[in-house]
Amino acid sequence: MAFWNRISRPYPLITSSIPVIRQRRPLSMAQAPAWLKPVLSDTSVPPTLYAWTPANLNLPYTPQRRDIQDESSRIYIIGIGNLGRMYAAYLSLVTPTPPPITLVVHRESLLSQWIENNGVEVTRQGVLHQSKAYDIEYWSEEKPATGPVQQVQPLRNVLVTTKATAAMPSVDRIRGYLDSQSTVAFAQNGMSKLWPPHGSAYMTHRYPNGNGFNALLCVTNHGVLSEGPFKSLHAAPANVSIGSVFPGHDVSQNYLAQQILAAPFIDAKAFPTADLWVVQLEKLVVNACLNPLTALLRQKNGFIFQNPDGPIIKVLDCIIAEASAVLQALAKSDASTSILASSESDIAILRQTLVERFSFDKLRSLVYAVGEKVKENRSSMLQDVCAGKGTEIRDFNGWFVDMATFLDPSIDVSTNQKLVELIENGAAQLDETSLSQSMLK
């Protein structure tokens, strides 16, 4: 799905200027989003974590050979769901020498399942990629009672492939093992929480000496489905856009970024920070449209677009209109200044260009184009709802609600707010008419 266009190309001179919307006061606790408030009020020391392996469960386990040099190149993958397996499988195919990889699981029982299974298995276009040449660990504050006792070591390369809701809590938990020599790459749906306007508040609070980690972003467009423990189907090969969240960091000099760029089948391309921000914003709009509607309707993506004059299209247009209003306000806000300043283009021209790019018509065309490409797919939120799992609705539609509150509370985001409520309240399957009535009344 290589449909994202870069913005760092020359644009025709636009003579009209757009006033910058300025936030008149620094971020207060009341303005902080729900994920950030407990962080800002927490002054506790980072937890000590122990690296459990199957050996701590009296299971046969021989770790890969490790030395000091190995640790500087080792990649820790946190979250071994579909994306974690995909990245693990393809990173292990990097030539001429793949990086050492440790899989970090979130439950102790997964250590036992690892021993019982055949390792990571990813099938792509009928070809199985299977390997057990990984270390595997479960990080716990509890000290193992049996087997080797090993604390988590300083972390240099971390790839976080959890759901969006778990990404920042997972990284915050390991903050005691991260510093300015560490790189953390995030591969989630939704917007990175480290973007302005809130990312700097997190980094300043947790790393007051300015020794925080370098943050990479992997906007991942691949479609991957689960086929069992440690086993996935790479159903819709696509691409990855990778770059630094913080301006001024060169991914060409970053070891973790270079490994991801070199991995076969990931099809990763490096983007400057400003371009990456726009890529993720546009993908967020698509996710905020397709995911909740398909989850509530219990239908594949293409169902939304079957009736051009139907009630679901009216709901879709409301979602897009609200998203457009929020993104245009963000483009005009000083909250975006640091990102736009990292581009070589004139900031005033970029603001104008983005206001046009985030128009209702442009975003609607984007949603329809992507919808056509993925019409036979089941959205991740539909899969989560059918499996009885938590969803990423707060990181999709909830992001627009939170950002509107921060930028301008007068922006109407009522449709997105209703979608959040319906999904979080566990709404039963709805048909087109009942969904439209619930949303537009």
Side-chain angles (χ1 to χ4, degrees):
M1 294 189 293
F3 44 81
W4 313 111
N5 297 318
R6 296 181 62 176
I7 68 166
S8 61
R9 60 183 186 275
Y11 291 94
L13 181 62
I14 300 172
T15 56
S16 59
S17 62
I18 289 185
V20 176
I21 301 174
R22 302 190 182 280
Q23 268 56 57
R24 292 183 172 84
R25 56 187 182 278
L27 178 70
S28 66
M29 182 66 77
Q31 285 180 300
W35 71 269
L36 185 57
K37 287 180 180 178
V39 172
L40 297 181
S41 62
D42 177 29
T43 58
S44 63
V45 298
T48 297
L49 299 175
Y50 295 92
W52 290 55
T53 72
N56 296 113
L57 304 179
N58 295 316
L59 297 171
Y61 176 71
T62 302
Q64 305 295 310
R65 186 181 66 84
R66 302 171 75 153
D67 54 34
I68 295 177
Q69 183 176 0
D70 171 271
E71 285 306 306
S72 65
S73 60
R74 178 170 292 273
I75 297 175
Y76 291 85
I77 300 180
I78 299 179
I80 313 303
N82 288 315
L83 285 186
R85 297 167 202 164
M86 184 197 76
Y87 276 99
Y90 300 152
L91 282 168
S92 71
L93 300 178
V94 169
T95 58
T97 305
I101 298 172
T102 295
L103 310 178
V104 182
V105 297
H106 67 288
R107 292 196 312 269
E108 178 187 314
S109 61
L110 289 172
L111 297 177
S112 301
Q113 289 187 33
W114 176 258
I115 298 300
E116 297 165 358
N117 283 273
N118 297 321
V120 172
E121 298 180 271
V122 175
T123 302
R124 179 185 182 275
Q125 297 180 344
V127 178
L128 173 64
H129 302 275
Q130 184 272 332
S131 176
K132 213 167 187 177
Y134 309 96
D135 285 319
I136 187 164
E137 295 177 353
Y138 163 66
W139 293 347
S140 172
E141 295 179 46
E142 180 182 352
K143 189 175 181 179
T146 60
V149 176
Q150 178 68 52
Q151 288 191 25
V152 172
Q153 300 299 301
L155 303 170
R156 292 293 169 255
N157 307 289
V158 179
L159 175 57
V160 184
T161 55
T162 64
K163 289 286 190 180
T165 50
M168 282 306 298
S170 296
V171 172
D172 194 58
R173 184 169 177 256
I174 62 173
R175 65 187 182 276
Y177 303 94
L178 301 172
D179 58 26
S180 59
Q181 300 301 308
S182 307
T183 296
V184 179
F186 294 85
Q188 285 76 39
N189 286 319
M191 288 301 291
S192 169
K193 292 179 171 59
L194 294 178
W195 289 123
H198 304 306
S200 60
Y202 172 83
M203 296 299 289
T204 299
H205 181 74
R206 286 308 198 196
Y207 302 92
N209 296 325
N211 63 333
F213 58 86
N214 176 36
L216 297 180
L217 190 61
C218 300
V219 182
T220 306
N221 295 317
H222 295 275
V224 191
L225 305 176
S226 178
E227 293 191 318
F230 304 105
K231 187 175 183 179
S232 293
L233 171 65
H234 190 176
N239 54 50
V240 171
S241 301
I242 186 172
S244 176
V245 176
F246 306 133
H249 293 269
D250 184 2
V251 296
S252 68
Q253 304 299 315
N254 184 278
Y255 171 80
L256 179 55
Q258 290 306 302
Q259 293 299 305
I260 294 172
L261 287 164
F265 309 126
I266 290 180
D267 192 19
K269 293 180 175 60
F271 282 76
T273 296
D275 295 51
L276 194 69
W277 181 66
V278 175
V279 165
Q280 195 170 44
L281 284 171
E282 290 183 333
K283 185 180 180 186
L284 177 66
V285 174
V286 175
N287 280 329
C289 291
L290 301 188
N291 276 271
L293 293 181
T294 56
L296 291 168
L297 295 165
R298 308 294 199 271
Q299 297 285 350
K300 292 182 178 180
N301 295 326
F303 181 84
I304 296 172
F305 307 96
Q306 285 183 354
N307 185 356
D309 299 315
I312 294 304
I313 294 300
K314 294 178 182 178
V315 177
L316 182 66
D317 283 348
C318 288
I319 300 171
I320 297 172
E322 293 177 10
S324 172
V326 172
L327 295 190
Q328 288 181 328
L330 179 59
K332 292 183 281 187
S333 168
D334 62 356
S336 64
T337 299
S338 63
I339 296 174
L340 300 182
S342 68
S343 171
E344 296 179 358
S345 301
D346 180 86
I347 293 180
I349 294 177
L350 279 178
R351 289 193 197 279
Q352 177 72 56
T353 302
L354 289 176
V355 167
E356 295 175 358
R357 184 169 180 148
F358 295 149
S359 69
F360 171 81
D361 289 341
K362 293 286 181 64
L363 292 180
R364 193 175 194 264
S365 296
L366 173 67
V367 171
Y368 272 70
V370 179
E372 175 63 25
K373 290 176 181 289
V374 299
K375 62 184 178 182
E376 296 300 326
N377 292 2
R378 299 170 76 243
S379 72
S380 60
M381 193 173 295
L382 172 58
Q383 295 179 60
D384 288 338
V385 167
C386 291
K389 297 180 179 179
T391 73
E392 297 173 303
I393 189 69
R394 282 280 168 188
D395 291 277
F396 294 171
N397 306 80
W399 184 91
F400 288 104
V401 175
D402 291 342
M403 188 56 65
T405 301
F406 177 81
L407 293 171
D408 180 0
S410 70
I411 297 175
D412 179 17
V413 286
S414 57
T415 306
N416 282 277
Q417 180 62 56
K418 288 177 183 177
L419 284 171
V420 172
E421 293 169 359
L422 281 173
I423 294 291
E424 290 193 334
N425 290 335
Q429 180 177 353
L430 301 174
D431 59 29
E432 292 182 82
T433 301
S434 57
L435 175 56
S436 176
Q437 290 173 345
S438 297
M439 297 300 302
L440 302 179
K441 63 183 179 181

